[in-house]
Amino acid sequence: MLTSMLIFAAAALVFGALLGFAAIKFHVEGDPVVDKIDAILPQTQCGQCGYPGCKPYARAIASGEADINQCPPGGEQGVMALADLLGREPGPLIAEPSTGNSDEPMVALIDEETCIGCTKCIQVCPVDAIVGAARHKHTVIEAYCTGCKLCLPPVCPVENCIVMDMVRPTATLWKWPEPLQIPELMRGAGS
Amino acid sequence: MMRRLYNFAGGVRLKEHKRESTSSPVGRTQLPQKIILPLHQHIGVPAKPIVNAGERVLKGQVVAEAGNNISAPIHASTSGTVLAIEDHPIAHPSGLPARCIIIKTDGKDEAAGGYGAPCDTSALTQEQLNAAIKQAGIVGLGGAGFPTYLKLANEAKKITTLILNGVECEPYITCDQMLMRGHSADIVRGLVIMQRALGIKRAIIAIENNKPKELELMQEAIYEAGTPDMELVQVPTVYPAGGEKQLIQTLTGKEVPSQGLPMDIGIVCHNVGTTYAIYRAIAFNEPLISRYITIAGSVAKAQVLDVLIGTPVSHLIEQCGGNRKTLSRVIMGGPMMGFALHDDEAPVVKTTNCILVNSVISDVPLPSRSNFSLPCIRCGACADACPVGLLPQQLYWYARARDFDKVQDYNLFDCIECGCCDYVCPSQIPLVQYYRYAKTAIWQQENEKTLSDISRQRHEFHKFRQEREKQERELRHKQKRQAVDGASTQDNKKAAIQAAMERVRRKREHSDVTPKNIDNLTEQQQKLIEEADARRKKKLEELKPEKITINTSGRESE
């Protein structure tokens, strides 16, 4: 009786120490799930999900506070990827309030003729993709612009100064069209 | 000497359609009005233009230099004036324009200094040969366009076998065949140069057994050159025997590893056209400005032409008697691997080997499919035909379902897009188009991933910067507040007042204004001035005693 108690007590101590050691040794800084969700999100930092940036939205998803279908730039594919990762049901994507069609990548374009140099767009740009100084004309570094539309009016006080422009496709980044699938073709052939 | 040949799995037997263009000798093209040189004609980064609009250029002059180590320079194909460096339609399946150097030809065909001057090749060292090949802008002329000098570098002595590819297995294409017919001796000389550049002896020349005449010519050329270490091998006619990996397998029985290069198994493979270009570049200092191209299909006279690089495709079609008004399709490349052009003003580039013209009156039966496909019946014919040993059906299902992870698990990127699966499919499913779609979609996704990583980094830095600025602002406010709070004691207050007075006084003392208009003054004016001076003096004296205290306390407060 006593021996068995002692054995179990000793075993409990050993395993307890082992677990305690492992908890310190293999401690993971931050939440790995949040990082995985953040890796799927498109990093436009546009705030259309209702959170100030992609990381806060990732945190909200991880904590169960937000649904996975609130990211319009991520598209259906993004919702599917999140559903796969988290094992949740993919719901229909919430509609984008500003424009209907956002499939094409866009970048902001500042009309340097009408820019008054107020720096307001520089302050809101989440990826520091606008250069300029007070009372000097601003311009967008297109390669870094995520197309988040945060700099559009009412942030920009001048009408039609900042507009969204389609990213011009290049031959190197062009995608072959997907072949038409049978049902569509049959309809097209009238049979 | 007979070599044991191996088989690769799959492949198809096709109707050759080669007699049309090989029955007449190689023609020369008339000089076109304009030469259009795309900056990106090879694998790697685009070349950088070094000429400006309006500049006169000579034949063989470098107009764009290599962009980095994986790139190739571009030379003017004839003399003329640079019209512009701008976007122009190019031969690309997307139909999107790209940056080109456009030269208006002047008809003089004036060559740059040193062009065409014979050179003693035997004196050149390995490094000199490689540098000369790089400078001549030579890329793989078989179709891929990989810069050749990279495939001739053998510092690590990894490469032991050089294979010369004269197989040319795709229907209609005959440019390599005609080159071997006309320049067999030059090809052998070029091969000797390549052997020296690589520092190896072993070379295998492979020719398909449907070209007995060329085989004989090459045999004679080797005999005359007296190079016994070159082995001439006849390979069976089966498409795609001329594919690099398939040819290596046929000749050596070795397979190039998945997603690897022939270099990984000590083999390097070059096209006969590339070899000829190397010979011209080394022996005659002629950079790559022209090549043989087959024009076939719905043209009055199908033939092989010696074409200046940059010649518009329309010019070639007209020269061969094609009617541009009745064209339905112009294909660059062969019927199996080529792609349709969107604009026949696009120029031929270094990698163009064939222009296939298809008219609305389908007089030449191209293996073109009907417009719609039927459902897959899972017959497995595609898997039997695949020369790489992939499972085309699985690839098709996953590409169609846009499951890009799964499609890569089935080794999509080992697909050489030869079109065999497509050709044998009884349901006429455009399989290769599915694979091309999947490949480009994956590349696009990867690019988007890189961009989003950059955005994440920049957003994190943005937040860090905002936080830092906030802290700095708070620190500044705190310091100011401290400065104000610290001055609450009587002494400090006094010192501050005195310091301010000192500043005023010093300013006044130092502002020694020289009075103007003091000549010819009336007595009354003189008197006023003196009175003012006296007032000022008195005021200064009143301030003076404080001066000492101010100075010391001023220092203390600092």
Side-chain angles (χ1 to χ4, degrees):
Chain A
M1 181 66 189
L2 192 70
T3 16
S4 53
M5 272 171 74
L6 281 173
I7 287 169
F8 274 93
L13 274 174
V14 168
F15 287 125
L18 215 64
L19 280 172
F21 173 74
I24 296 160
K25 174 86 182 172
F26 303 112
H27 179 68
V28 178
E29 212 47 73
D31 193 345
V33 179
V34 171
D35 285 338
K36 275 185 191 161
I37 298 172
D38 194 40
I40 292 170
L41 296 177
Q43 305 301 321
T44 44
Q45 319 290 355
C46 59
Q48 286 181 60
C49 51
Y51 293 88
C54 295
K55 195 81 178 247
Y57 178 47
R59 254 182 242 123
I61 294 175
S63 68
E65 187 189 319
D67 218 346
I68 55 170
N69 61 349
Q70 297 178 9
C71 177
E76 295 285 350
Q77 267 182 326
V79 179
M80 293 304 286
L82 286 173
D84 265 358
L85 176 73
L86 302 165
R88 290 197 207 168
E89 274 302 304
L93 194 66
I94 56 153
E96 196 180 352
S98 47
T99 53
N101 177 24
S102 71
D103 266 8
E104 296 298 316
M106 307 279 265
V107 284
L109 199 71
I110 296 180
D111 178 12
E112 280 154 31
E113 290 301 305
T114 52
C115 176
I116 56 168
C118 68
T119 74
K120 280 186 175 149
C121 55
I122 296 179
Q123 287 160 29
V124 295
C125 180
V127 288
D128 292 338
I130 303 177
V131 282
R135 291 189 298 283
H136 287 76
K137 299 197 181 301
H138 307 338
T139 196
V140 177
I141 311 169
E142 276 173 52
Y144 295 140
C145 177
T146 63
C148 67
K149 301 178 186 167
L150 288 181
C151 52
L152 291 186
V155 166
C156 177
V158 185
E159 214 174 310
N160 292 330
C161 175
I162 304 183
V163 287
M164 296 310 287
D165 191 23
M166 208 97 87
V167 177
R168 231 173 296 152
T170 57
T172 40
L173 272 179
W174 171 79
K175 194 163 77 175
W176 274 84
E178 202 178 354
L180 289 178
Q181 292 188 3
I182 298 140
E184 300 156 40
L185 287 164
M186 288 304 212
R187 267 203 298 280
S191 51
Chain B
M1 186 171 69
M2 279 300 284
R3 165 180 276 275
R4 195 199 144 188
L5 292 180
Y6 301 81
N7 280 328
F8 59 88
V12 288
R13 283 178 196 283
L14 302 170
K15 236 185 134 192
E16 288 164 18
H17 291 287
K18 295 199 191 232
R19 199 165 300 155
E20 297 93 327
S21 54
T22 51
S23 51
S24 55
V26 176
R28 283 204 78 87
T29 39
Q30 293 131 15
L31 202 63
Q33 297 273 305
K34 271 196 269 179
I35 288 280
I36 303 130
L37 297 166
L39 293 175
H40 203 177
Q41 305 189 17
H42 45 261
I43 287 178
V45 300
K48 275 188 289 202
I50 53 166
V51 290
N52 293 312
E55 208 170 301
R56 187 173 140 80
V57 290
L58 300 174
K59 181 183 183 175
Q61 183 187 332
V62 180
V63 291
E65 59 187 12
N68 70 358
N69 278 336
I70 306 175
S71 186
I74 293 164
H75 304 75
S77 313
T78 184
S79 64
T81 317
V82 178
L83 275 182
I85 299 169
E86 61 181 16
D87 283 354
H88 189 278
I90 55 157
H92 190 271
S94 66
L96 291 167
R99 199 50 41 120
C100 299
I101 298 176
I102 300 166
I103 298 168
K104 188 174 165 27
T105 57
D106 60 9
K108 290 177 193 152
D109 207 27
E110 203 178 317
Y115 178 89
C119 167
D120 182 19
T121 55
S122 56
L124 296 170
T125 63
Q126 213 165 330
E127 287 82 38
Q128 282 170 326
L129 284 173
N130 253 325
I133 290 165
K134 185 179 179 182
Q135 197 44 47
I138 296 171
V139 301
L141 299 186
F146 195 75
T148 299
Y149 74 95
L150 291 169
K151 279 168 79 179
L152 288 176
N154 194 17
E155 274 115 39
K157 298 272 167 226
K158 259 171 72 186
I159 298 162
T160 52
T161 310
L162 167 65
I163 294 175
L164 188 62
N165 188 344
V167 177
E168 200 170 46
C169 56
E170 204 169 342
Y172 290 98
I173 308 175
T174 53
C175 53
D176 289 352
Q177 189 178 352
M178 292 307 276
L179 191 68
M180 286 190 281
R181 198 178 285 183
H183 296 278
S184 53
D186 293 344
I187 291 169
V188 171
R189 287 181 203 128
L191 192 58
V192 173
I193 294 171
M194 286 162 102
Q195 280 175 315
R196 278 180 43 214
L198 282 163
I200 58 168
K201 284 242 143 51
R202 192 162 176 232
I204 306 169
I205 306 169
I207 298 174
E208 236 177 357
N209 62 9
N210 62 355
K211 305 180 186 71
K213 198 168 160 188
E214 287 71 31
L215 189 87
E216 208 174 293
L217 284 167
M218 289 299 287
Q219 189 97 60
E220 273 170 33
I222 293 169
Y223 182 74
E224 271 166 32
T227 47
D229 39 7
M230 282 180 198
E231 192 185 335
L232 194 65
V233 180
Q234 202 170 25
V235 299
T237 303
V238 56
Y239 178 82
E244 186 177 60
K245 288 165 187 176
Q246 283 65 44
L247 183 60
I248 289 169
Q249 205 177 343
T250 309
L251 294 174
T252 65
K254 287 184 200 167
E255 258 190 82
V256 178
S258 173
Q259 296 205 35
L261 291 170
M263 236 177 257
D264 300 339
I265 51 169
I267 295 171
V268 73
C269 197
H270 286 278
N271 176 266
V272 288
T274 317
T275 310
Y276 177 67
I278 287 173
Y279 171 68
R280 298 303 300 182
I282 301 293
F284 293 97
N285 194 22
E286 284 175 18
L288 180 58
I289 57 164
S290 70
R291 66 160 296 155
Y292 279 13
I293 293 173
T294 305
I295 321 290
S298 320
V299 286
K301 193 166 185 262
Q303 70 178 130
V304 175
L305 294 174
D306 190 0
V307 182
L308 291 178
I309 285 154
T311 307
V313 169
S314 56
H315 186 79
L316 300 178
I317 295 171
E318 274 171 2
Q319 191 178 339
C320 290
N323 187 348
R324 280 179 71 198
K325 293 197 179 86
T326 59
L327 293 185
S328 67
R329 244 183 356 162
V330 178
I331 295 165
M332 190 168 270
M336 300 295 281
M337 293 184 70
F339 56 88
L341 294 181
H342 289 245
D343 190 335
D344 65 357
E345 285 301 327
V348 300
V349 292
K350 291 175 183 176
T351 52
T352 307
N353 48 13
C354 180
I355 307 282
L356 212 48
V357 181
N358 195 4
S359 77
V360 271
I361 316 141
S362 250
D363 54 347
V364 179
L366 290 173
S368 58
R369 57 183 61 259
S370 61
N371 280 328
F372 58 93
S373 54
L374 295 166
C376 172
I377 55 167
R378 292 189 179 269
C379 63
C382 49
D384 291 337
C386 181
V388 192
L390 300 176
L391 296 171
Q393 209 186 95
Q394 294 310 107
L395 290 172
Y396 160 65
W397 290 116
Y398 289 121
R400 211 183 116 157
R402 298 179 201 172
D403 192 340
F404 297 135
D405 290 331
K406 257 306 200 296
V407 89
Q408 284 183 84
D409 290 346
Y410 281 88
N411 298 315
L412 171 71
F413 284 98
D414 283 328
C415 168
I416 57 167
E417 299 175 21
C418 62
C420 288
C421 51
D422 223 320
Y423 181 82
V424 297
C425 180
S427 292
Q428 302 204 342
I429 300 168
L431 291 161
V432 174
Q433 203 188 333
Y434 276 103
Y435 310 149
R436 283 172 169 168
Y437 157 73
K439 281 182 185 179
T440 45
I442 290 165
W443 287 329
Q444 212 175 42
Q445 271 187 1
E446 276 169 4
N447 181 56
E448 271 166 23
K449 183 97 186 64
T450 332
L451 289 182
S452 87
D453 283 346
I454 293 171
S455 296
R456 184 182 297 118
Q457 255 173 22
R458 290 183 71 86
H459 181 61
E460 263 155 30
F461 180 75
H462 172 81
K463 280 196 302 193
F464 162 75
R465 186 177 60 80
Q466 276 185 327
E467 190 57 35
R468 190 185 62 196
E469 275 170 8
K470 203 173 137 197
Q471 277 172 2
E472 278 172 358
R473 208 164 38 235
E474 270 170 15
L475 196 72
R476 264 203 313 277
H477 285 175
K478 211 167 145 193
Q479 275 172 348
K480 266 190 187 163
R481 209 175 303 127
Q482 262 177 354
V484 173
D485 289 349
S488 64
T489 55
Q490 280 293 325
D491 283 352
N492 280 348
K493 237 177 203 171
K494 210 183 235 169
I497 294 164
Q498 279 173 348
M501 283 170 81
E502 159 74 351
R503 274 201 300 280
V504 172
R505 192 191 58 77
R506 210 180 283 158
K507 204 172 168 188
R508 216 178 268 166
E509 255 181 13
H510 284 282
S511 66
D512 43 353
V513 185
T514 35
K516 288 171 192 167
N517 307 327
I518 48 165
D519 307 323
N520 310 324
L521 297 169
T522 59
E523 261 179 34
Q524 205 182 346
Q525 280 172 326
Q526 190 63 42
K527 202 177 162 192
L528 280 170
I529 290 166
E530 272 163 18
E531 267 172 30
D533 278 345
R535 270 205 306 281
R536 196 176 292 138
K537 208 171 176 187
K538 200 176 151 199
K539 224 174 190 173
L540 272 174
E541 257 149 32
E542 269 171 26
L543 281 165
K544 238 171 202 167
E546 290 167 25
K547 188 183 171 187
I548 307 145
T549 49
I550 290 158
N551 262 350
T552 46
S553 61
R555 269 195 207 120
E556 270 162 17
S557 73
E558 279 166 11

